[in-house]
Amino acid sequence: MYKIYMLLLAALILLSGCAKTENQNKDENNSVQSIEETVSLENEDKTSSSIEDVESMENTDANSLNNEDDYAQIVFEGHDIEGNTVSSTIFSESKLTMVNVWATYCNPCLSEMPGLGELAAEYDSEEFQIIGIVSDVQEGASQEMMDLAEDLIEQTGADYTHLLLNEELYYALLTDVSAVPTTFFINENGVILDGVIGAMDKSAWEEKINALLEE
């Protein structure tokens, strides 16, 4: 029960950090949704970082997401938005998997999802696949939240597997996530090869994907 409570608390802080004021909405296309890096009952300050700030921190933050040197294997079991059971064995189905962490209220997340949907359809699934993680919709969420997530997936054409947040998934991948969207690239052995904080357009993602596939 304590672990579940802490997971719920962490998820709430993860989500609340990405909330915007009306003034922030005016420049939403140039912003990255920020979330608290540390889970704490006493620290619920909400911050936001510009894309320029994220780029200046790229070397530090991306390296902190890159576990290649540690060869830390990602292991989890959960459910997708359609109710199907999905485990970390899904990584073995493709040479490279792109895991995109997004939220229903995150405009930069939603703006890049049409391009991600196109990329998912253009590559051979044995070479490359995309998985989304809906960070603000947990397993057992209300039907209203489920419907919202499903509608956004349909509207953006992000026709690939989307996982709902649960405890295993949170501890496997999200504990070091500092903003949404955050994207991981994982090989067929379940090892993180690279991480990107912030949204990118389709051509930039395609360039990165091809480079990783060639390595």
Side-chain angles (χ1 to χ4, degrees):
M1 180 64 72
Y2 176 75
K3 287 185 177 180
I4 294 174
Y5 175 77
M6 290 304 295
L7 172 64
L8 293 173
L9 173 64
L12 287 173
I13 293 176
L14 176 88
L15 308 178
S16 64
C18 191
K20 290 184 174 183
T21 64
E22 290 183 8
N23 290 332
Q24 288 173 313
N25 280 329
K26 294 179 181 179
D27 59 1
E28 62 190 11
N29 291 331
N30 295 320
S31 67
V32 170
Q33 310 304 308
S34 176
I35 57 178
E36 289 295 329
E37 185 174 357
T38 303
V39 175
S40 170
L41 282 169
E42 298 177 355
N43 184 6
E44 297 181 0
D45 292 335
K46 300 174 179 61
T47 60
S48 61
S49 301
S50 66
I51 287 178
E52 289 78 9
D53 291 337
V54 171
E55 289 175 345
S56 70
M57 292 159 44
E58 182 178 9
N59 290 335
T60 299
D61 287 345
N63 287 338
S64 70
L65 295 173
N66 189 340
N67 293 338
E68 184 177 8
D69 293 338
D70 299 332
Y71 296 99
Q73 192 173 40
I74 302 302
V75 178
F76 70 88
E77 182 172 294
H79 294 86
D80 66 17
I81 200 163
E82 296 178 349
N84 302 307
T85 299
V86 179
S87 74
S88 46
T89 60
I90 194 172
F91 299 132
S92 66
E93 298 176 6
S94 290
K95 181 178 178 181
L96 181 68
T97 299
M98 179 179 184
V99 178
N100 180 252
V101 185
W102 64 284
T104 60
Y105 49 80
C106 170
N107 289 302
C109 300
L110 300 175
S111 68
E112 72 175 351
M113 283 167 63
L116 297 185
E118 293 175 4
L119 288 170
E122 291 171 4
Y123 283 84
D124 184 337
S125 62
E126 292 185 359
E127 286 288 303
F128 174 75
Q129 65 179 342
I130 301 179
I131 297 171
I133 297 179
V134 197
S135 63
D136 62 327
V137 182
Q138 300 181 49
E139 291 183 1
S142 68
Q143 191 60 48
E144 181 181 4
M145 286 301 297
M146 294 287 288
D147 290 344
L148 173 61
E150 289 176 345
D151 287 346
L152 291 172
I153 291 167
E154 183 177 356
Q155 290 171 21
T156 58
D159 187 20
Y160 45 84
T161 299
H162 292 268
L163 303 180
L164 303 176
L165 184 65
N166 68 6
E167 186 175 10
E168 286 189 33
L169 193 56
Y170 174 78
Y171 285 112
L173 269 172
L174 274 64
T175 55
D176 291 329
V177 171
S178 59
V180 288
T182 287
T183 300
F184 300 94
F185 289 93
I186 300 174
N187 69 14
E188 66 268 31
N189 297 316
V191 176
I192 296 177
L193 302 178
D194 202 357
V196 176
I197 299 172
M200 298 201 302
D201 61 27
K202 179 185 174 181
S203 61
W205 283 126
E206 190 170 22
E207 182 178 350
K208 189 165 192 65
I209 292 163
N210 290 338
L212 287 169
L213 285 172
E214 290 173 3
E215 290 181 359

